[in-house]
Amino acid sequence: MLILKTRNELFDFIQYINAKNLSLGFVPTMGALHDGHLSLFKRAIEDNQYTIGSIFINPTQFDNQNDLLKYPRTVEDDINKLESVGCDAVYIPGVEDLYPNGLECDTIAMNGLDLVMEGEFRPGHFQGMATVVKRLLLQINPTRAYFGEKDFQQLQIIRHMVCALKLPVEIVGMPIIRESSGLAMSSRNMRLTPDFKKKSIFIYQSLLKAKELSSHYTPQKVVSKIEKMYLNTDLKLEYFTIVNEETLLTANTFDDCKNYRAFIAVFAGDIRLIDNLQIR
Ligand code: AMP
C-alpha cells in the first residue's frame, strides 16, 4: 500500500490514475479505524479499480479543543488495517497540505441542513467538515466517495455540496456498523469507561423503542416518551429528535410516503456519542 504524506506525493498517484483512466474510490477518515470504517473500504475496493483512504484529524471541525486534543491517534495500527483489507493507498497529509493559507474555512451553502441537530450543538462543525471534504475531493478527484450513515447529517450535507458545486463524484452512503451489543462503532468508544460502554447500549435500544412507538404515536409524543426514559439513566441526553430524512426538519406528523429518522446525541461521562435510525 502506498503511504502518501504530502500533497505532492498524492499528486503523482492521482496523475497515474487519471492518465490510465482508472476508477478511484475514496474513503475520508480521521483515523482510529474500526470495522465501521473498514466496511466503507471493502465496498470501495469492490466498486473501483483503485481505492485510496485519507487519515486527517481536521482541526476546523472541532468546536471543542479538548475533544481535538484527546481524539485517538493510532496511525500505525490504521495502516496495518488498511493493508489487510487491500486498500491501494492512504493519504496522511499535514495541516499545510489542506490549509496552505491558515485554518480558514470556505463558505459552503448548505440550504439549512447545517442549522439543526449537530449543527445547532456544534457551531462551525459542518463548515469545517465540508471545507476539508471539498478540498480532499478536489485534490483526489475520485470516481466515488464513501460515507457512513453513522454521520447521516454529514452525508446529506455532502450530497448537497457535491450537487451545488457540480463536483464529478458519486457519493455512496453506507449503513451503520454496530457492535454485537448494538452500540454504533465509533472511534470515541475506545475512550469510554467499561461502565459507560455498558450503559451506552441504551442508545440503540432507545432508537429501537422509538421505532416501535412510532407506529402508535405522533413524532412529538415519541420524542417526549424517549426523553423521559433518559431521566432514569446515567447518560445525559443532548437531543433526541425525529426528522424528515431529506430535509432534516422536525417531523410533526408521519406521512406514509416520506422517510423519517430518529437522531440522538448523548454524553456518556465526558464522551459525546451520536447515533440514528430510520424509524418509518
Ligand atoms: P470518522 O473517522 O469518524 O470521520 O469517520 C469516517 C467515515 O466513517 C465517515 O463517513 C463515518 O460516517 C464512517 N463511519 C464511522 N463510524 C461508522 C460506523 N459505525 N458504521 C459505518 N460507517 C461509519
Side-chain angles (χ1 to χ4, degrees):
M1 183 173 70
L2 284 172
I3 298 171
L4 310 167
K5 290 211 163 166
T6 65
R7 196 177 168 175
N8 284 339
E9 287 176 27
L10 172 75
F11 185 72
D12 291 340
F13 174 72
I14 300 302
Q15 269 209 322
Y16 167 82
I17 297 286
N18 290 344
K20 298 220 168 214
N21 212 8
L22 298 165
S23 61
L24 180 63
F26 170 47
V27 183
T29 81
M30 297 205 296
L33 302 182
H34 49 67
D35 285 350
H37 296 112
L38 296 182
S39 72
L40 274 57
F41 280 93
K42 286 178 188 159
R43 171 74 187 274
I45 291 164
E46 258 172 51
D47 290 351
N48 301 281
Q49 287 162 304
Y50 274 79
T51 292
I52 183 168
S54 64
I55 298 175
F56 180 67
I57 301 178
N58 176 31
T60 64
Q61 73 185 67
F62 284 82
D63 54 313
N64 175 331
Q65 285 310 299
N66 199 35
D67 193 24
L68 170 60
L69 282 174
K70 293 207 169 147
Y71 201 84
R73 290 157 169 86
T74 59
V75 176
E76 292 309 314
D77 203 34
D78 294 344
I79 290 172
N80 289 336
K81 286 181 179 166
L82 292 183
E83 237 160 10
S84 76
V85 294
C87 183
D88 300 292
V90 61
Y91 180 36
I92 313 178
V95 170
E96 60 288 356
D97 295 299
L98 288 161
Y99 294 96
N101 304 317
L103 290 179
E104 294 257 318
C105 287
D106 303 334
T107 305
I108 296 168
M110 300 179 182
N111 202 22
L113 294 171
D114 58 324
L115 300 179
V116 295
M117 300 188 290
E118 291 302 281
E120 189 182 335
F121 287 93
R122 301 183 67 190
H125 167 68
F126 285 126
Q127 284 300 335
M129 177 284 294
T131 296
V132 84
V133 171
K134 180 184 123 188
R135 293 180 183 186
L136 285 165
L137 291 173
L138 290 173
Q139 290 186 13
I140 292 173
N141 187 30
T143 318
R144 299 180 189 87
Y146 297 80
F147 296 87
E149 289 183 350
K150 166 78 173 27
D151 303 281
F152 191 87
Q153 188 173 9
Q154 163 176 292
L155 170 63
Q156 296 298 65
I157 288 173
I158 287 162
R159 286 200 164 115
H160 181 269
M161 175 183 80
V162 160
C163 196
L165 299 176
K166 299 191 169 65
L167 299 177
V169 57
E170 180 190 335
I171 301 300
V172 182
M174 296 287 294
I176 300 174
I177 303 297
R178 299 180 180 281
E179 299 191 0
S180 53
S181 65
L183 179 65
M185 289 191 181
S186 163
S187 307
R188 289 186 169 86
N189 292 355
M190 62 174 78
R191 291 178 52 212
L192 290 170
T193 61
D195 183 41
F196 269 119
K197 188 152 190 199
K198 231 190 222 162
K199 288 175 171 157
S200 299
I201 296 168
F202 186 67
I203 299 169
Y204 183 53
Q205 289 170 348
S206 68
L207 288 167
L208 291 173
K209 186 72 189 166
K211 183 173 173 153
E212 187 190 314
L213 291 170
S214 71
S215 43
H216 307 290
Y217 297 101
T218 62
Q220 287 101 319
K221 192 80 193 153
V222 175
V223 168
S224 75
K225 281 179 179 286
I226 300 291
E227 283 173 347
K228 270 199 200 117
M229 286 164 60
Y230 273 89
L231 299 176
N232 302 321
T233 71
D234 288 333
L235 302 170
K236 194 170 153 278
L237 185 62
E238 190 168 60
Y239 64 80
F240 185 91
T241 182
I242 297 176
V243 305
N244 174 314
E245 239 181 54
E246 215 167 292
T247 61
L248 302 185
L249 294 176
T250 306
N252 295 315
T253 55
F254 288 124
D255 185 341
D256 278 342
C257 58
K258 290 185 181 135
N259 291 327
Y260 296 91
R261 205 170 264 263
F263 289 81
I264 186 168
V266 304
F267 280 92
D270 57 354
I271 311 298
R272 189 173 181 278
L273 301 173
I274 58 169
D275 200 349
N276 68 81
L277 182 73
Q278 188 180 67
I279 59 167
R280 297 262 299 208

PDB file of all heavy atoms in Angstrom, residues 213-229:
ATOM      1  N   LEU A 213     -42.569   2.705  18.945  1.00  0.00           N
ATOM      2  CA  LEU A 213     -43.607   3.659  19.361  1.00  0.00           C
ATOM      3  C   LEU A 213     -44.177   4.430  18.175  1.00  0.00           C
ATOM      4  O   LEU A 213     -45.330   4.869  18.206  1.00  0.00           O
ATOM      5  CB  LEU A 213     -43.022   4.655  20.374  1.00  0.00           C
ATOM      6  CG  LEU A 213     -42.650   4.095  21.744  1.00  0.00           C
ATOM      7  CD1 LEU A 213     -41.853   5.128  22.548  1.00  0.00           C
ATOM      8  CD2 LEU A 213     -43.910   3.685  22.507  1.00  0.00           C
ATOM      9  N   SER A 214     -43.372   4.572  17.125  1.00  0.00           N
ATOM     10  CA  SER A 214     -43.792   5.440  16.016  1.00  0.00           C
ATOM     11  C   SER A 214     -44.976   4.877  15.243  1.00  0.00           C
ATOM     12  O   SER A 214     -45.597   5.598  14.480  1.00  0.00           O
ATOM     13  CB  SER A 214     -42.625   5.711  15.069  1.00  0.00           C
ATOM     14  OG  SER A 214     -42.324   4.540  14.365  1.00  0.00           O
ATOM     15  N   SER A 215     -45.293   3.595  15.461  1.00  0.00           N
ATOM     16  CA  SER A 215     -46.485   3.098  14.766  1.00  0.00           C
ATOM     17  C   SER A 215     -47.769   3.413  15.548  1.00  0.00           C
ATOM     18  O   SER A 215     -48.864   3.199  15.060  1.00  0.00           O
ATOM     19  CB  SER A 215     -46.362   1.606  14.450  1.00  0.00           C
ATOM     20  OG  SER A 215     -45.847   0.933  15.535  1.00  0.00           O
ATOM     21  N   HIS A 216     -47.621   3.938  16.782  1.00  0.00           N
ATOM     22  CA  HIS A 216     -48.815   4.256  17.590  1.00  0.00           C
ATOM     23  C   HIS A 216     -48.960   5.728  17.937  1.00  0.00           C
ATOM     24  O   HIS A 216     -50.042   6.171  18.298  1.00  0.00           O
ATOM     25  CB  HIS A 216     -48.775   3.481  18.917  1.00  0.00           C
ATOM     26  CG  HIS A 216     -48.572   2.014  18.750  1.00  0.00           C
ATOM     27  ND1 HIS A 216     -49.534   1.187  18.217  1.00  0.00           N
ATOM     28  CD2 HIS A 216     -47.503   1.224  19.022  1.00  0.00           C
ATOM     29  CE1 HIS A 216     -49.061  -0.040  18.170  1.00  0.00           C
ATOM     30  NE2 HIS A 216     -47.839  -0.047  18.651  1.00  0.00           N
ATOM     31  N   TYR A 217     -47.855   6.469  17.920  1.00  0.00           N
ATOM     32  CA  TYR A 217     -47.889   7.837  18.451  1.00  0.00           C
ATOM     33  C   TYR A 217     -47.356   8.852  17.443  1.00  0.00           C
ATOM     34  O   TYR A 217     -46.656   8.490  16.501  1.00  0.00           O
ATOM     35  CB  TYR A 217     -47.040   7.929  19.732  1.00  0.00           C
ATOM     36  CG  TYR A 217     -47.555   7.064  20.860  1.00  0.00           C
ATOM     37  CD1 TYR A 217     -46.958   5.844  21.141  1.00  0.00           C
ATOM     38  CD2 TYR A 217     -48.630   7.483  21.641  1.00  0.00           C
ATOM     39  CE1 TYR A 217     -47.427   5.038  22.175  1.00  0.00           C
ATOM     40  CE2 TYR A 217     -49.103   6.688  22.676  1.00  0.00           C
ATOM     41  CZ  TYR A 217     -48.504   5.471  22.940  1.00  0.00           C
ATOM     42  OH  TYR A 217     -48.960   4.682  23.957  1.00  0.00           O
ATOM     43  N   THR A 218     -47.668  10.125  17.688  1.00  0.00           N
ATOM     44  CA  THR A 218     -47.126  11.210  16.847  1.00  0.00           C
ATOM     45  C   THR A 218     -45.624  11.355  17.140  1.00  0.00           C
ATOM     46  O   THR A 218     -45.153  10.929  18.211  1.00  0.00           O
ATOM     47  CB  THR A 218     -47.790  12.555  17.204  1.00  0.00           C
ATOM     48  OG1 THR A 218     -47.479  12.846  18.572  1.00  0.00           O
ATOM     49  CG2 THR A 218     -49.298  12.518  16.989  1.00  0.00           C
ATOM     50  N   PRO A 219     -44.890  11.992  16.230  1.00  0.00           N
ATOM     51  CA  PRO A 219     -43.454  12.191  16.469  1.00  0.00           C
ATOM     52  C   PRO A 219     -43.176  12.878  17.813  1.00  0.00           C
ATOM     53  O   PRO A 219     -42.301  12.430  18.569  1.00  0.00           O
ATOM     54  CB  PRO A 219     -43.010  13.064  15.293  1.00  0.00           C
ATOM     55  CG  PRO A 219     -43.999  12.784  14.208  1.00  0.00           C
ATOM     56  CD  PRO A 219     -45.300  12.478  14.894  1.00  0.00           C
ATOM     57  N   GLN A 220     -43.945  13.958  18.132  1.00  0.00           N
ATOM     58  CA  GLN A 220     -43.683  14.679  19.401  1.00  0.00           C
ATOM     59  C   GLN A 220     -43.882  13.785  20.609  1.00  0.00           C
ATOM     60  O   GLN A 220     -43.133  13.837  21.580  1.00  0.00           O
ATOM     61  CB  GLN A 220     -44.611  15.897  19.571  1.00  0.00           C
ATOM     62  CG  GLN A 220     -44.270  17.049  18.665  1.00  0.00           C
ATOM     63  CD  GLN A 220     -45.212  17.078  17.470  1.00  0.00           C
ATOM     64  OE1 GLN A 220     -45.535  16.017  16.918  1.00  0.00           O
ATOM     65  NE2 GLN A 220     -45.644  18.252  17.060  1.00  0.00           N
ATOM     66  N   LYS A 221     -44.907  12.948  20.536  1.00  0.00           N
ATOM     67  CA  LYS A 221     -45.212  12.049  21.655  1.00  0.00           C
ATOM     68  C   LYS A 221     -44.081  11.014  21.813  1.00  0.00           C
ATOM     69  O   LYS A 221     -43.661  10.713  22.939  1.00  0.00           O
ATOM     70  CB  LYS A 221     -46.554  11.353  21.358  1.00  0.00           C
ATOM     71  CG  LYS A 221     -47.150  10.630  22.516  1.00  0.00           C
ATOM     72  CD  LYS A 221     -47.881  11.569  23.480  1.00  0.00           C
ATOM     73  CE  LYS A 221     -48.178  10.810  24.763  1.00  0.00           C
ATOM     74  NZ  LYS A 221     -48.284  11.666  25.929  1.00  0.00           N
ATOM     75  N   VAL A 222     -43.601  10.500  20.686  1.00  0.00           N
ATOM     76  CA  VAL A 222     -42.498   9.528  20.738  1.00  0.00           C
ATOM     77  C   VAL A 222     -41.284  10.195  21.394  1.00  0.00           C
ATOM     78  O   VAL A 222     -40.669   9.640  22.317  1.00  0.00           O
ATOM     79  CB  VAL A 222     -42.114   9.025  19.313  1.00  0.00           C
ATOM     80  CG1 VAL A 222     -40.893   8.113  19.378  1.00  0.00           C
ATOM     81  CG2 VAL A 222     -43.293   8.308  18.653  1.00  0.00           C
ATOM     82  N   VAL A 223     -40.965  11.410  20.938  1.00  0.00           N
ATOM     83  CA  VAL A 223     -39.801  12.124  21.476  1.00  0.00           C
ATOM     84  C   VAL A 223     -39.952  12.319  22.984  1.00  0.00           C
ATOM     85  O   VAL A 223     -39.022  12.047  23.752  1.00  0.00           O
ATOM     86  CB  VAL A 223     -39.602  13.483  20.749  1.00  0.00           C
ATOM     87  CG1 VAL A 223     -38.592  14.365  21.484  1.00  0.00           C
ATOM     88  CG2 VAL A 223     -39.150  13.255  19.308  1.00  0.00           C
ATOM     89  N   SER A 224     -41.141  12.741  23.433  1.00  0.00           N
ATOM     90  CA  SER A 224     -41.263  13.007  24.879  1.00  0.00           C
ATOM     91  C   SER A 224     -41.178  11.715  25.693  1.00  0.00           C
ATOM     92  O   SER A 224     -40.628  11.706  26.790  1.00  0.00           O
ATOM     93  CB  SER A 224     -42.510  13.835  25.187  1.00  0.00           C
ATOM     94  OG  SER A 224     -43.637  13.029  25.095  1.00  0.00           O
ATOM     95  N   LYS A 225     -41.690  10.610  25.132  1.00  0.00           N
ATOM     96  CA  LYS A 225     -41.576   9.329  25.856  1.00  0.00           C
ATOM     97  C   LYS A 225     -40.100   8.905  25.966  1.00  0.00           C
ATOM     98  O   LYS A 225     -39.661   8.433  27.023  1.00  0.00           O
ATOM     99  CB  LYS A 225     -42.370   8.229  25.131  1.00  0.00           C
ATOM    100  CG  LYS A 225     -43.875   8.303  25.404  1.00  0.00           C
ATOM    101  CD  LYS A 225     -44.604   7.202  24.648  1.00  0.00           C
ATOM    102  CE  LYS A 225     -46.096   7.236  24.925  1.00  0.00           C
ATOM    103  NZ  LYS A 225     -46.467   6.747  26.263  1.00  0.00           N
ATOM    104  N   ILE A 226     -39.350   9.090  24.902  1.00  0.00           N
ATOM    105  CA  ILE A 226     -37.930   8.695  24.934  1.00  0.00           C
ATOM    106  C   ILE A 226     -37.157   9.624  25.889  1.00  0.00           C
ATOM    107  O   ILE A 226     -36.328   9.157  26.683  1.00  0.00           O
ATOM    108  CB  ILE A 226     -37.305   8.732  23.510  1.00  0.00           C
ATOM    109  CG1 ILE A 226     -38.040   7.760  22.571  1.00  0.00           C
ATOM    110  CG2 ILE A 226     -35.796   8.430  23.562  1.00  0.00           C
ATOM    111  CD1 ILE A 226     -37.871   6.301  22.849  1.00  0.00           C
ATOM    112  N   GLU A 227     -37.438  10.919  25.817  1.00  0.00           N
ATOM    113  CA  GLU A 227     -36.745  11.857  26.711  1.00  0.00           C
ATOM    114  C   GLU A 227     -36.945  11.462  28.174  1.00  0.00           C
ATOM    115  O   GLU A 227     -36.012  11.504  28.973  1.00  0.00           O
ATOM    116  CB  GLU A 227     -37.266  13.288  26.483  1.00  0.00           C
ATOM    117  CG  GLU A 227     -36.686  13.914  25.226  1.00  0.00           C
ATOM    118  CD  GLU A 227     -37.307  15.268  24.867  1.00  0.00           C
ATOM    119  OE1 GLU A 227     -38.361  15.631  25.436  1.00  0.00           O
ATOM    120  OE2 GLU A 227     -36.748  15.942  24.009  1.00  0.00           O
ATOM    121  N   LYS A 228     -38.170  11.041  28.485  1.00  0.00           N
ATOM    122  CA  LYS A 228     -38.464  10.639  29.878  1.00  0.00           C
ATOM    123  C   LYS A 228     -37.635   9.417  30.272  1.00  0.00           C
ATOM    124  O   LYS A 228     -37.144   9.330  31.394  1.00  0.00           O
ATOM    125  CB  LYS A 228     -39.955  10.305  30.019  1.00  0.00           C
ATOM    126  CG  LYS A 228     -40.759  11.505  30.388  1.00  0.00           C
ATOM    127  CD  LYS A 228     -42.123  11.120  30.974  1.00  0.00           C
ATOM    128  CE  LYS A 228     -43.042  12.321  30.856  1.00  0.00           C
ATOM    129  NZ  LYS A 228     -44.210  12.073  29.986  1.00  0.00           N
ATOM    130  N   MET A 229     -37.477   8.479  29.320  1.00  0.00           N
ATOM    131  CA  MET A 229     -36.702   7.273  29.625  1.00  0.00           C
ATOM    132  C   MET A 229     -35.261   7.612  30.029  1.00  0.00           C
ATOM    133  O   MET A 229     -34.653   6.928  30.853  1.00  0.00           O
ATOM    134  CB  MET A 229     -36.683   6.329  28.407  1.00  0.00           C
ATOM    135  CG  MET A 229     -38.006   5.610  28.179  1.00  0.00           C
ATOM    136  SD  MET A 229     -38.122   4.871  26.524  1.00  0.00           S
ATOM    137  CE  MET A 229     -36.754   3.764  26.540  1.00  0.00           C
TER     138      MET A 229
END
